[in-house]
């Protein structure tokens, strides 16, 4: 059927004026066959496999981007959680593996590679422990490697022993990169209910249920949704939901087309489309601004959670209609440092850490890219992780913590992370200690799946 | 055989010679214009052409020449395969 000119101009407007883009195409690669008791051999296997499978990723993505005129912002790689192939490797050897990953990413022109990870929500293997111990150094001496640790799921409960350790890992990683405002922490995510096919960094890894290689796509476009809403200032909330659904449907269709093209040309199966609305630092490419357009004077005020819940649900409904294979995180992201509206909300005092926590009950994906005061203790960080893990566990959803305790910085200071990671105002933490709770250790049992009020 | 189509869009300030310049490039590469329309979108002049690119082997080269033409005229010209519009607006 012929396309009407107004439809063509709508697409052009979305791309050229409203920041419609494919946020990421991420190739997932299994490294399970790379394990070897000889660490040198293991490193070589890992490097070779990644650089073979992903060798055309960047060029193909750029070609598809040109042909269809839809920008693909990031080309990335996710891999099998590295802890699963470490075997008897030492901490120093694990860091060497991270360096090989960094090198592979560099040589491929890929900005982030995710999967320096361990799944420890129920227990910790030898490899998991080595990986956790190596995280502060591995993330400080590499540029492009992202790590994640799963500490909880709805079916297993919360592994508080690892939660405790992660407080120290984050503190240590921040301290090691204090010259760069603790940037290592921006590459580390602590998960509850992680997903195996998430294409978004820093929490991407190639799960054990996945095949040899797969291509997952993260679509986005807060700017497009915002512009669409601006045309309906008088709409009631049911209509607002409808406008978001219609817009996301179109964004998702473009994403699926582009994703399938890239997958076909690099010769790996197409996996899923992740429907998350992910903001960028571009003006108006902001989730906060959408909430404000719905009618909040400033993000974080009363009504924020209701508006966010409405938006997040509408995004999923529109996206699920548009694509048969929806997966990943598929929810709104609220990273403070990457969203100019969120930054303004924090600076003007309307958005607090507690409100951000509450917001994660109704959307993906947790406390994300939040700068904390440098004096936040490891126990406090563990307490923050435990709270967020509990929200995910009880609500049967993914939540995560990616916070940066910036050494030497006080509440209210502005921190520049640079590039895609943006900038963030430092937020204060509760001055009272969580030490006693965190030090108890053990595992918080899995919750009931019935009696769910 | 099914036609392979692409959309050429020109966005910028209206002026004499835009259509002539663009169609000249297309003629040089022996590309047939199937449809053409112009309108104003958010204060910008917008011209859209649908062209047949079944015979075009080097779309990159054509895109590059079109972009240069656009730069000379002070407008933005892009060339996109039509499928992206189909998939966004048709089920």
């Amino acid at each position: 059927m012929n396309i009407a000119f107004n439809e063509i101009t709508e697409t052009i407007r979305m791309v050229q004026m409203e920041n419609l883009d494919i946020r990421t195409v991420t190739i997932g690669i299994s490294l399970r066959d790379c394990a070897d008791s000889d660490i040198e051999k293991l490193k070589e296997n890992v490097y070779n496999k990644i650089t073979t499978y992903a060798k055309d990723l960047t060029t193909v993505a750029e070609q598809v981007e040109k042909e269809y005129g839809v920008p693909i912002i990031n080309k990335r790689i996710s891999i099998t959680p590295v802890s699963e192939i470490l075997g008897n490797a030492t901490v120093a050897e694990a860091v060497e593996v991270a360096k090989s990953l960094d090198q592979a990413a560099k040589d491929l022109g890929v900005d982030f590679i995710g999967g320096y990870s361990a799944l420890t929500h129920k227990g910790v293997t030898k490899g998991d422990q080595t990986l956790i111990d190596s995280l502060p150094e591995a993330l400080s001496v590499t540029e492009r490697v992202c790590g994640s640790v799963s500490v909880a799921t709805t079916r297993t409960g919360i592994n508080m022993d690892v939660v405790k350790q992660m407080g120290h890992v984050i503190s240590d990683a921040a301290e090691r990169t204090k010259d760069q405002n603790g940037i290592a922490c921006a590459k580390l995510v602590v998960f509850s209910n992680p997903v195996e096919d998430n294409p978004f960094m820093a929490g991407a890894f190639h799960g054990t249920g996945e095949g040899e290689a797969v291509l997952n796509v993260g679509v986005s476009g807060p700017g497009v949704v915002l512009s669409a809403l601006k045309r309906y200032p008088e709409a009631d909330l049911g209509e607002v939901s409808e406008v978001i659904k219609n817009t996301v449907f179109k964004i998702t269709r473009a994403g699926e087309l582009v994703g399938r093209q890239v997958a076909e040309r690099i010769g790996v199966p197409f996996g899923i489309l992740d429907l998350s609305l992910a903001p960028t630092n571009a003006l108006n490419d902001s989730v906060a601004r959408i909430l404000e357009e719905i009618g909040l004077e400033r993000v974080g005020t009363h009504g924020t959670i209701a508006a966010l819940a409405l938006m997040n649900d509408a995004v999923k409904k529109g996206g699920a209609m548009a694509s048969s294979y929806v997966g990943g995180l598929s929810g709104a992201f609220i990273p403070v440092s990457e969203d100019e509206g969120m930054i303004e909300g924090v600076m003007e005092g309307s958005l607090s850490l507690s409100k951000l926590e509450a917001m994660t009950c109704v959307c993906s994906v947790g406390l994300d890219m939040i700068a904390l005061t440098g004096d936040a203790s490891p126990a406090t960080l563990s307490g923050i992780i435990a709270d967020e893990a509990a929200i995910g566990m009880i609500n049967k959803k993914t939540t995560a913590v990616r916070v940066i305790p910036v050494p030497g910085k006080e509440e209210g200071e502005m921190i520049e992370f640079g590039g895609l990671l943006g900038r963030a105002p430092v937020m204060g933490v509760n001055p009272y200690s969580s030490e006693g709770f965190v030090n108890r250790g053990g595992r918080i049992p899995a919750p009931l799946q019935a009696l769910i009020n | 055989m099914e036609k392979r189509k692409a959309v050429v869009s020109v966005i910028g300030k209206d002026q004499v010679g835009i259509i002539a310049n663009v169609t000249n490039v297309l003629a040089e590469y022996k590309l047939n214009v199937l449809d053409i329309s112009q309108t104003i979108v958010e204060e910008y002049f917008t011209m859209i052409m649908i062209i047949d690119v079944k015979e075009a082997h080097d779309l990159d080269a054509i895109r590059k020449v079109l972009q240069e033409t656009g730069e000379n005229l002070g407008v933005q010209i892009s060339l996109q395969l039509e499928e992206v519009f189909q998939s966004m607006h048709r089920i």
Side-chain angles (χ1 to χ4, degrees), chain B residues 9-26:
Chain B
S9 59
V10 182
I11 298 177
K13 202 168 157 282
D14 198 7
Q15 59 191 287
V16 175
I18 294 183
I19 296 185
N21 274 291
V22 175
T23 46
N24 261 338
V25 174
L26 298 178

Side-chain angles (χ1 to χ4, degrees), chain A residues 1-3 5 7-14 16 63 66-70 250 253-254 257, chain B residues 5 7 9 11 35 37 41-42 48 60 63 76 78 80-81 83-91:
Chain A
M1 199 196 300
N2 278 338
I3 293 294
F5 281 111
E7 292 170 328
I8 293 176
T9 50
E10 182 184 10
T11 297
I12 291 169
R13 188 188 61 225
M14 284 178 171
Q16 300 196 351
Q63 184 60 29
K66 260 197 283 181
E67 283 176 24
Y68 293 98
V70 179
K250 290 172 191 165
R253 295 279 289 185
L257 172 76
Chain B
K5 294 185 226 169
V7 172
S9 59
I11 298 177
D35 207 344
S37 159
V41 180
E42 308 203 346
I48 289 158
D60 279 355
R63 184 177 294 112
Q76 193 175 343
S78 43
Q80 295 164 265
L81 290 179
E83 287 116 293
V84 68
F85 301 96
Q86 289 284 359
S87 68
M88 281 176 82
H89 300 283
R90 294 287 179 274
I91 301 177

Side-chain angles (χ1 to χ4, degrees), chain A residues 144-263:
Chain A
R144 304 174 188 227
V145 175
C146 294
S148 56
V149 175
S150 166
V151 297
T153 69
T154 299
R155 289 186 181 280
T156 60
I158 305 175
N159 188 340
M160 287 299 293
D161 293 328
V162 180
V163 169
K164 181 181 174 190
Q165 290 190 52
M166 290 314 292
H168 290 279
V169 166
I170 292 172
S171 272
D172 189 3
E175 193 54 37
R176 283 169 188 261
T177 48
K178 63 177 175 217
D179 297 341
Q180 296 164 274
N181 293 323
I183 191 98
C185 300
K187 297 179 287 176
L188 175 60
V189 181
V190 186
F191 270 122
S192 171
N193 289 320
V195 294
E196 301 196 327
D197 50 8
N198 164 25
F200 286 102
M201 293 298 161
F205 64 89
H206 185 74
T208 42
E210 300 285 322
E212 270 299 290
V214 69
L215 191 95
N216 296 321
V217 174
V219 212
S220 204
V224 182
V225 173
L226 178 64
S227 301
L229 284 177
K230 282 192 168 154
R231 289 192 281 278
Y232 300 92
E234 303 295 326
D236 77 22
L237 293 172
E239 290 158 352
V240 165
S241 165
E242 194 64 27
V243 171
I244 298 174
K245 258 166 57 185
N246 288 341
T247 312
V248 170
F249 177 87
K250 290 172 191 165
I251 301 172
T252 309
R253 295 279 289 185
E256 172 140 0
L257 172 76
V258 168
R260 283 190 184 279
Q261 280 294 332
V262 174

